[in-house]
Structures are given as structure tokens and as C-alpha cells.
Amino acid sequence: MTVVARLPGGIAIVFYYDDHPPAHFHAIVNGINVPFDIDEPMPIRGMLSPSHHRTIRGWAMRHRDELFLNWALARAYQPLASIGYP
């Protein structure tokens, strides 16, 4: 697991090197791990609070290209790039 961003509200955005398609990232808040689709930033499964969901979705929409790049890097077992906020 590699943390690529930290968002307000204690949200960590992470990728796993051995993860499965579709292209996604994980948002971890208070020990709850929710995978989000990169193409359409919505939870694949699980739920977070509406405020966390809005923060993650807005951020992911602004950083979609960087998220797809990190997805490709993770699939190739290459070092990941940090992504800023906002």
C-alpha cells in the first residue's frame, strides 16, 4: 500500500501494487477502506460519510489524469507519484 495523497478529514488515498481492475484507488478514513473507481469517482463498494464522499469525489475529478498515471505505475510495480490537494 502506498499513500499518494492526504485529504482533509483524515482521508488517505492509497494504491496497492497487486490490485485488480477496474482502475481504482482506495480512500481510507478511520480504518474504513473504500475503493473508488477512477473513471467515474464513485465507491465500488462500501460507504463513507457524505462529506468525505464529496471531498474525495471533487478531488478525484480534478486529479483524474494523475490517478490514472498512478494506476498504471502501480500495475507496473513502479514508484508512485504524490498528488496534492486541492
Side-chain angles (χ1 to χ4, degrees):
M1 167 177 79
T2 300
V3 176
V4 297
R6 295 204 181 269
L7 310 183
I11 303 165
I13 304 297
V14 305
F15 282 88
Y16 293 93
Y17 282 98
D18 59 350
D19 227 340
H20 54 82
H24 66 282
F25 61 89
H26 294 255
I28 301 175
V29 181
N30 297 326
I32 299 169
N33 185 332
V34 177
F36 275 75
D37 188 90
I38 295 174
D39 191 44
E40 179 58 38
M42 299 293 288
I44 294 172
R45 66 179 177 282
M47 293 179 58
L48 295 171
S49 73
S51 64
H52 284 125
H53 182 264
R54 280 190 303 276
T55 298
I56 295 162
R57 181 171 167 75
W59 174 84
M61 291 175 76
R62 287 189 301 277
H63 296 281
R64 185 175 284 138
D65 291 342
E66 293 162 283
L67 289 164
F68 273 119
L69 174 60
N70 272 336
W71 172 258
L73 291 170
R75 299 285 288 169
Y77 292 89
Q78 298 296 313
L80 305 185
S82 294
I83 304 173
Y85 181 85

